[in-house]
Amino acid sequence: MRQGFVKVAAATPDIRVADVAYNTEKICGAMGEAASEGAKIVVFPELCITGYTCGDLFSQEVLLREARNALLKIASFTSDKDMIVFVGTPLSVDGKLYNVAAALNRGEVLGFTTKTFLPNYGEFYEMRHFTPGPQNAQEILFEGNRVPFGPQILFQAASMEELVVSAEVCEDVWSPIPPSIYAAMEGAAVIVNCSASDETIGKDGYRRNLIRGQSARLIAGYVYANAGEGESTTDLVFGGHNLITENGVVLKESERFRNNIIYSEIDIYRLVGERRKNTTFKAPEERKLPRIPFHIELEETELTRRFSQMPFVPDNEQEREERCEEILTIQAMGLKKRLAHTRAKTAVVGISGGLDSTLALLVAAKAFDMLGWEKKRIIAVTMPCFGTTDRTYQNACKMAVQVGAELKEVRIADAVNVHFRDIGHDPEDHNVTYENAQARERTQVLMDIANEKNGMVIGTGDMSELALGWATYNGDHMSMYGVNASVPKTLVRHLVKYAADTAKDRELQEVLYDVLDTPVSPELLPPKEGSIAQITEDLVGPYELHDFFLYYMLRFGYEPSKIYRIAAETFEDRYGTAAILKWLEIFCRRFFSQQFKRSCLPDGPKVGTVALSPRGDWRMPSDACVALWMKDLEAISQAD
């Protein structure tokens, strides 16, 4: 539970219809297994103490009496279990029968969440036996104790106030206005559902989308436990289709048609942070729903959920290709509008033979196609200097020709040497002045060519470089429209690969593949034996790590220690913990110290949920202090 991770379980035990003793034994067995796995929230199916398919046996007093006794036995079984359990059972109250999810914790029955919407269509006839729950929660007398009874009861962990759980029962989530909406609005971060949803053709996909969508709409975790094998097959088959979702993402899904328990960890702090940022997610001015405390220990949660090494890049190949096409279109549409609005006659792109400038050139070409302009109006400028290698130079030239742009070469070494002489810099001193003078000279050349040709300079820098400040202020940092400004480096690579894979021109395809195979470098230092002497990732760190850090810091507001923890598990096959900590410290320091460069960024299109525009997603003072973030990492250093 530390750092917000709470392990949850959706369990479908083997049952026998109306065999309450057998079902109780299996439920307790599943609870014991879940406890050994460290689950803090465990959810069982609808009416699983008796079986959902008892039919008119629900009118038999013996069944209802045994179900009540079984519930007390199951509650007692939780006495030494560090968990809150939700189990479906029938409950007779004041002469009426209700379909409820009972919440159990530390040997006690904490409350009964009633089913609000009773299906009475198709294969369902619940209104034959059950009464819809009351509109608002009330108290009933149960075994001598006053216990909450009704919809939208909130169960709040005493050791972690952000952990608020609420239940609904099966059909409730299929209704137009699920009860969980109101529970979430009053603070429920986790919704559990005790369900008995039978299997018909295609229903699993609908169910999956329904639960995933509800968790997204509510910015919540959702634990859905469904009835399975053991229910009557007189007319129906139940597949035990269990789901654990978080804010629209399926964390874990069971295989259908076999009873089992699934586990995952819901990130409560992530959900709470998302709600804080979302101004349309508003809590009611007055709290109306009852809050019942429950008790679980605050301890380290072993993670079983997996985090993608490249969170900006979809794992699925088809989805990745669709994403790449969409991003390229967004970039090109943004540039198309800007070119048309400014009545520019040309687009000027500085090309180096590297990934970023390659992407910018491809986007410019796509924008020109959208405008119906001849691509020879794109001026691709190569500016060789002290660090340029023959490989990148040749690739830049070939690419410009294959795209159909006008290739212009401006050798800047003489101009830079004159500048060195003017400012009194020794050309043999390869310090930051030596490097940045070249970058600023290139930007000056591009700007002046744009003026000469009534054009617009297209920025090439990507979001990863902006996060790290890995750009020369008023050098490659500046342009008239930055098409790559919200595209991280890991995604740039996939965009270029997608362009290569789908290119119809074989020569262009070969050039793009060679660009992909070229080490990332600013090429500002003289080559060593003809090869690139300056490898960016050797200096500033692996971009795949920095993009991982960037995503979780900006998208979810994770503290550095939490980012370190999930990075250590995610990249354990690639980097040691010392290396991850080193690069994370560098990331934090650079991210804070380099904000001044981001505060004056050129315009550029937002393409994803994370962006650094000072006019939109990220508004940070340039002199903010990094001390708190570094202090959070110090504890890790001391522990190691």
Side-chain angles (χ1 to χ4, degrees):
M1 289 170 59
R2 290 193 176 93
Q3 298 178 327
F5 291 112
V6 176
K7 191 158 194 171
V8 301
T12 301
D14 293 323
I15 68 162
R16 295 173 184 167
V17 177
D19 191 341
V20 175
Y22 178 87
N23 299 345
T24 300
E25 178 185 347
K26 295 301 181 181
I27 290 169
C28 290
M31 287 167 52
E33 179 182 330
S36 68
E37 293 293 329
K40 302 298 184 183
I41 301 172
V42 183
V43 188
F44 289 93
E46 181 179 12
L47 296 169
C48 73
I49 287 179
T50 58
Y52 176 79
T53 50
C54 285
D56 284 350
L57 292 177
F58 283 124
S59 65
Q60 298 293 303
E61 181 63 30
V62 64
L63 181 70
L64 301 181
R65 183 178 65 246
E66 286 305 306
R68 187 184 184 100
N69 292 336
L71 180 62
L72 293 173
K73 184 179 293 186
I74 296 168
S76 177
F77 191 76
T78 68
S79 296
D80 60 349
K81 304 292 185 298
D82 194 39
M83 59 174 60
I84 183 170
V85 177
F86 293 86
V87 60
T89 188
L91 183 69
S92 179
V93 177
D94 296 334
K96 299 291 184 181
L97 189 61
Y98 296 89
N99 183 342
V100 303
L104 316 174
N105 174 242
R106 299 292 185 180
E108 297 183 12
V109 177
L110 299 184
F112 297 104
T113 299
T114 53
K115 189 171 185 176
T116 300
F117 298 97
L118 302 182
N120 222 54
Y121 56 87
E123 62 266 41
F124 302 106
Y125 47 93
E126 287 189 30
M127 293 184 72
R128 180 180 176 90
H129 310 112
F130 297 102
T131 298
Q135 185 173 357
N136 299 305
Q138 50 195 248
E139 287 188 338
I140 62 170
L141 199 63
F142 180 79
E143 298 299 315
N145 298 312
R146 303 203 68 81
V147 178
F149 170 86
Q152 303 145 348
I153 302 170
L154 305 181
F155 301 93
Q156 186 170 26
S159 58
M160 182 182 180
E161 293 182 0
E162 297 89 347
L163 178 54
V164 180
V165 189
S166 188
E168 55 190 0
V169 183
C170 197
E171 183 78 4
D172 289 344
V173 74
W174 300 72
S175 69
I177 307 178
S180 54
I181 291 177
Y182 302 102
M185 293 296 287
E186 285 210 23
V190 177
I191 306 298
V192 304
N193 189 313
C194 300
S195 183
S197 174
D198 62 314
E199 298 300 329
T200 54
I201 296 172
K203 193 174 183 180
D204 63 319
Y206 187 94
R207 185 188 297 118
R208 181 186 306 110
N209 289 335
L210 178 69
I211 301 306
R212 182 169 58 188
Q214 187 70 351
S215 72
R217 183 179 299 108
L218 302 183
I219 314 179
Y222 204 108
V223 186
Y224 183 91
N226 199 9
E229 189 175 359
E231 291 287 356
S232 172
T233 58
T234 301
D235 291 300
L236 307 174
V237 169
F238 294 82
H241 187 198
N242 296 338
L243 292 153
I244 300 172
T245 66
E246 177 186 279
N247 197 19
V249 176
V250 176
L251 299 179
K252 195 74 172 182
E253 180 174 5
S254 69
E255 180 182 340
R256 288 190 300 158
F257 306 114
R258 59 180 290 231
N259 293 351
N260 56 22
I261 308 177
I262 60 171
Y263 303 93
S264 192
E265 298 79 39
I266 292 175
D267 188 348
I268 303 301
Y269 291 165
R270 168 181 172 178
L271 296 170
V272 171
E274 286 290 283
R275 289 179 176 182
R276 279 197 298 260
K277 290 190 296 184
N278 191 320
T279 58
T280 61
F281 193 95
K282 296 182 179 179
E285 293 183 3
E286 181 183 354
R287 285 185 176 182
K288 297 181 179 179
L289 303 181
R291 287 183 178 239
I292 311 301
F294 67 94
H295 300 277
I296 53 177
E297 295 295 325
L298 184 63
E299 58 188 16
E300 193 76 41
T301 301
E302 182 180 350
L303 297 181
T304 61
R305 66 185 284 181
R306 293 292 172 256
F307 298 85
S308 171
Q309 291 185 347
M310 290 187 287
F312 290 106
V313 182
D315 293 327
N316 179 272
E317 183 177 359
Q318 181 180 346
E319 185 181 351
R320 185 166 60 245
E321 290 177 354
E322 292 173 354
R323 181 77 55 84
C324 286
E325 181 60 35
E326 182 180 20
I327 291 170
L328 287 168
T329 301
I330 292 172
Q331 290 177 280
M333 284 294 292
L335 180 56
K336 172 192 171 186
K337 166 68 175 179
R338 186 53 55 93
L339 289 168
H341 176 74
T342 58
R343 300 182 181 180
K345 300 299 182 185
T346 63
V348 180
V349 185
I351 54 172
S352 65
L355 281 170
D356 292 343
S357 62
T358 296
L359 178 58
L361 181 61
L362 294 170
V363 169
K366 191 175 182 70
F368 271 55
D369 285 339
M370 290 176 173
L371 288 163
W373 292 1
E374 293 182 324
K375 287 196 281 289
K376 66 181 181 181
R377 289 165 61 179
I378 300 173
I379 303 174
V381 187
T382 178
M383 295 166 282
C385 199
F386 311 129
T388 303
T389 59
D390 184 65
R391 179 183 185 181
T392 54
Y393 170 74
Q394 293 295 335
N395 280 341
C397 294
K398 290 176 186 177
M399 191 189 318
V401 171
Q402 295 305 317
V403 165
E406 176 189 341
L407 175 63
K408 188 176 183 64
E409 181 174 324
V410 179
R411 293 188 171 269
I412 65 170
D414 289 344
V416 174
N417 278 321
V418 169
H419 181 63
F420 286 162
R421 184 192 66 199
D422 291 342
I423 66 172
H425 179 76
D426 181 359
E428 297 303 316
D429 183 356
H430 296 172
N431 63 4
V432 68
T433 303
Y434 179 89
E435 296 184 34
N436 286 349
Q438 298 171 68
R440 292 196 178 99
E441 179 61 26
R442 285 174 172 143
T443 299
Q444 176 177 262
V445 168
L446 295 173
M447 293 287 183
D448 290 345
I449 290 175
N451 290 158
E452 186 73 24
K453 300 293 185 178
N454 191 12
M456 174 179 292
V457 176
I458 310 305
T460 61
D462 63 56
M463 184 167 65
S464 305
E465 294 177 341
L466 292 172
L468 294 164
W470 196 252
T472 300
Y473 193 89
N474 209 33
D476 53 316
H477 157 260
M478 193 49 59
S479 67
M480 296 171 182
Y481 195 75
V483 293
N484 297 339
S486 64
V487 183
K489 185 74 78 177
T490 49
L491 188 52
V492 170
R493 178 170 294 278
H494 283 275
L495 289 168
V496 174
K497 185 179 185 303
Y498 171 76
D501 291 343
T502 57
K504 297 178 181 179
D505 185 292
R506 184 173 180 180
E507 291 186 42
L508 174 60
Q509 191 176 59
E510 290 177 355
V511 172
L512 293 177
Y513 284 139
D514 196 58
V515 169
L516 287 163
D517 196 44
T518 304
V520 176
S521 171
E523 291 195 319
L524 297 173
L525 296 179
K528 292 181 179 179
E529 299 179 356
S531 298
I532 294 173
Q534 190 180 24
I535 307 299
T536 297
E537 291 182 290
D538 290 345
L539 301 171
V540 76
Y543 275 117
E544 63 179 349
L545 281 181
H546 287 310
D547 282 358
F548 188 90
F549 302 155
L550 176 65
Y551 180 82
Y552 286 103
M553 180 175 173
L554 265 65
R555 180 68 181 84
F556 301 119
Y558 281 5
E559 66 266 33
S561 57
K562 188 171 181 177
I563 296 174
Y564 167 80
R565 178 186 179 187
I566 63 174
E569 295 203 14
T570 302
F571 292 96
E572 62 180 352
D573 60 333
R574 296 177 62 81
Y575 303 99
T577 55
I580 291 172
L581 182 58
K582 168 190 171 183
W583 296 123
L584 180 53
E585 289 175 343
I586 287 175
F587 174 84
C588 291
R589 291 189 187 280
R590 291 194 66 94
F591 186 83
F592 273 77
S593 67
Q594 300 296 298
Q595 172 62 29
F596 73 98
K597 294 179 182 177
R598 300 188 292 268
S599 292
C600 56
L601 285 180
D603 292 354
K606 175 180 177 178
V607 302
T609 55
V610 176
L612 289 170
S613 169
R615 296 167 293 277
D617 291 76
W618 192 251
R619 305 180 189 187
M620 170 183 169
S622 298
D623 48 8
C625 184
V626 72
L628 287 177
W629 285 258
M630 299 311 296
K631 183 179 180 181
D632 189 60
L633 285 174
E634 284 176 11
I636 298 172
S637 301
Q638 293 170 359
D640 290 347

